[in-house]
Amino acid sequence: MFDPEGLWQLFWDILLGLMRRMLPRLLSQPRRVDHNLPGEAPRPIGREQALRWLREQLSPSSPSAVCALVGPGGVGKTYLGLAIAHEYLRWAESRLKHLQDWLCRHIPGCRPSGVFEAIIYISAQNILITPGGIRSQRAQTQLPKITEEIARTLNDQDLLRQHPSERRRSVLDALRRRRTLLILDNLEEMDSEVLDFIRQVPSPSRVLIISRHLVNSWPAYSLEALDPKSARRLIHREAAEKGLELTSEEIEGLAQATGGLPLAISISVARLKRGIPMDRLLEELREGRGDLAEYMVGRSVEVLRQDQDAYRLFLALALFDLGAGAHRAALGATADLPEERRDKGLVKLVEWSLIEHERKADRFRFRHPLIHARAVRALEEDQEAPAFRQRWIEWYQAQLAERPQNIPLLRAERPNLLQILEALRQEDRMEELAQCLWEAQILLDEGPAEPYLDAVRSLFRLEPAASARRPAAGPDLGPPRPRRSCLEEGIRRAMVEAAPAAFKRRPAGGHRGRDAAMGIA
């Protein structure tokens, strides 16, 4: 007669017997993972969201065998990739994980832990620069060398003896048998056949691409600079590790000058330890000079020169305000490109992690102040710089001339209009400056006007309005000056300085209504 309770008892007796024999071995011998990872560095700061995303993408349940970390140089892509690799290495070598995997092989319904049996790191760079330090390494850019490194890390002598053409297929078979994490750093500098190889990597193995460029249509995480709080925490940690004492003002200044780039922070603190004055260091960072800026942007700029349309857009964006960025139409006009070539060039700049696109407003801006500073330098060194500058000014003059239908666009252009005014002032184009000031008055009717007015005051050295000078408590200084008064005074002064040229070009009869409003007799 069938006895369910007896059957369950038999099952548990067998399971307990297996566990008595296997448990001591499982707990005494941690799993050995073949890997070639460099030494572990401190845990990344401010990267919790990115780490969660990587765990999801590298898990056995992820539908894609390939994922990517993308971002500009120095943002911490390599550091983060190695951090997740060491996390998996610790898990794989954990005795508890070893026990969990054994149970999952014998108990139906148990989910595997997703550990990797091998972790392989391959880079196209011959040096590894991370906040943890600098070390030399073998640069691998060709597929035969990459498959050789995979075979060497897997300790597979048969694979190593094979001809490169045969080894490629055999390595893919090995990755099918053993769940392996393959990290390919600086993919943009590897041969194109490496990309074909990646497409063929089978599950259960996973590939993590680290690149400055967007790659294919695989899931990608775009890594940004650290937020101000995390940047200050990283500066604190780096300074403490190097025995360096920094004031809160110095920490804040360094956080702003580095723009929250982990690599820039680490190298800057190391340079301070070696004795470079803080003022000099901050100046180099703000102006985009030195080896750090060259490492972050220099190589991308050299590659960019091969695509003249993208490079012209890169130079054009240097003229615009860093925070406001540029509208698509303004960039195309400044770079003197037709729409189709403009749009293709902008796509490449986004893919190369040099600029970012605000889709709703259709605006573009540099992803980091150091990239902007490097673009400004490149523009200054370019022989076409005056032509870029003239087209930039003319585009804004045209938009102002066509107001009020352009007000929605111009509303977002205030910071750039201030730079146009400054450029006209520097070039002593006072009549054009006065005209721009006159046409821009309508912008004061909406939104906060003080930043705009402050810029006009600085251009003409005007006294601030009474309301701006009034202390929090004190005697009444009289009614505040109307918001247009300093603007009108700026127009008057500009026209006075431009008077000879203005009256020489003035048509017979002039524009009496406008002249009266502008204070011209």
Side-chain angles (χ1 to χ4, degrees), residues 12-30:
W12 285 113
D13 287 345
I14 294 173
L15 180 60
L16 289 173
L18 287 171
M19 291 183 65
R20 288 192 190 99
R21 292 199 303 271
M22 299 297 298
L23 195 58
R25 189 191 312 171
L26 288 168
L27 294 179
S28 63
Q29 296 179 356

Side-chain angles (χ1 to χ4, degrees), residues 182-451:
L182 177 61
I183 303 174
L184 296 175
D185 198 358
N186 295 106
L187 180 70
E188 67 272 13
E189 298 187 17
M190 295 180 181
D191 292 348
S192 58
E193 62 177 343
V194 177
L195 204 57
D196 296 331
F197 172 81
I198 293 171
R199 293 189 183 100
Q200 301 175 47
V201 171
S203 288
S205 290
R206 293 288 183 266
V207 179
L208 172 58
I209 294 171
I210 297 175
S211 176
R212 299 186 184 198
H213 304 171
L214 287 171
V215 184
N216 210 294
S217 57
W218 291 308
Y221 189 96
S222 183
L223 204 60
E224 303 289 345
L226 296 173
D227 62 86
K229 182 179 179 180
S230 297
R232 291 191 291 269
R233 285 174 55 204
L234 181 57
I235 294 171
H236 272 293
R237 187 175 78 181
E238 291 288 322
E241 288 177 355
K242 294 174 175 62
L244 192 65
E245 293 186 5
L246 298 176
T247 66
S248 57
E249 291 79 9
E250 289 174 329
I251 290 173
E252 187 62 33
L254 193 56
Q256 292 180 4
T258 58
L261 283 180
L263 185 60
I265 289 172
S266 180
I267 292 178
S268 296
V269 173
R271 294 184 69 193
L272 289 172
K273 179 64 176 178
R274 292 198 297 268
I276 184 174
M278 176 66 82
D279 292 344
R280 179 182 159 193
L281 174 64
L282 296 180
E283 182 181 359
E284 285 187 7
L285 289 168
R286 294 186 184 111
E287 296 180 1
R289 293 188 285 110
D291 294 340
L292 179 60
E294 197 61 29
Y295 169 78
M296 286 180 53
V297 194
R299 288 187 293 123
S300 294
V301 171
E302 289 307 311
V303 174
L304 201 58
R305 290 179 187 274
Q306 300 171 17
D307 187 314
Q308 279 300 304
D309 290 349
Y311 187 63
R312 291 179 69 82
L313 290 162
F314 179 75
L315 296 180
L317 189 53
L319 290 165
F320 295 81
D321 180 79
L322 177 61
H327 190 272
R328 183 188 297 268
L331 265 180
T334 305
D336 195 23
L337 292 174
E339 289 185 9
E340 184 178 354
R341 289 168 57 188
R342 173 201 67 191
D343 293 344
K344 288 182 178 178
L346 288 171
V347 167
K348 288 188 177 181
L349 289 175
V350 171
E351 289 178 346
W352 291 341
S353 300
L354 292 171
I355 67 173
E356 59 188 12
H357 183 204
E358 184 186 343
R359 295 184 182 277
K360 186 175 180 180
D362 202 16
R363 303 186 69 82
F364 297 84
R365 57 179 59 85
F366 287 110
R367 291 192 61 171
H368 193 272
L370 279 177
I371 302 176
H372 174 258
R374 185 65 174 78
V376 170
R377 280 183 52 209
L379 180 62
E380 291 171 349
E381 297 165 0
D382 195 281
Q383 61 182 5
E384 286 194 58
F388 275 91
R389 209 171 156 87
Q390 180 59 29
R391 289 192 294 269
W392 172 60
I393 291 173
E394 287 176 353
W395 188 85
Y396 281 99
Q397 288 175 326
Q399 304 310 308
L400 286 169
E402 295 176 8
R403 70 197 191 293
Q405 60 265 34
N406 284 338
I407 289 301
L409 172 63
L410 291 171
R411 193 178 294 126
E413 297 292 343
R414 275 184 173 182
N416 287 317
L417 285 170
L418 296 180
Q419 296 198 190
I420 293 292
L421 298 178
E422 181 62 36
L424 292 172
R425 175 74 177 185
Q426 289 176 356
E427 296 178 15
D428 200 29
R429 297 161 62 173
M430 304 307 294
E431 185 180 1
E432 293 176 75
L433 173 58
Q435 185 71 22
C436 285
L437 284 167
W438 168 253
E439 292 171 339
Q441 287 186 84
I442 194 170
L443 295 176
L444 296 179
D445 293 334
E446 300 182 22
E450 277 309 310

Side-chain angles (χ1 to χ4, degrees), residues 93-167:
E93 293 180 342
S94 163
R95 291 180 174 87
L96 291 178
K97 288 293 181 185
H98 199 183
L99 174 61
Q100 180 183 349
D101 284 354
W102 182 87
L103 290 173
C104 285
R105 286 195 296 270
H106 294 85
I107 299 178
C110 178
R111 297 182 62 186
S113 61
V115 297
F116 290 100
E117 300 173 59
I119 303 176
I120 305 169
Y121 172 76
I122 297 174
S123 175
Q125 293 288 308
N126 55 14
I127 58 170
L128 174 63
I129 306 177
T130 71
I134 301 176
R135 64 184 285 270
S136 60
Q137 60 185 8
R138 286 195 300 269
Q140 312 286 13
T141 60
Q142 299 177 339
L143 185 58
K145 291 294 184 182
I146 289 173
T147 56
E148 181 181 333
E149 179 64 21
I150 293 173
R152 184 181 296 109
T153 307
L154 294 176
N155 293 312
D156 194 321
Q157 297 303 315
D158 291 337
L159 283 178
L160 285 171
R161 285 191 290 266
Q162 288 183 355
H163 188 272
S165 59
E166 298 176 358
R167 188 167 59 229

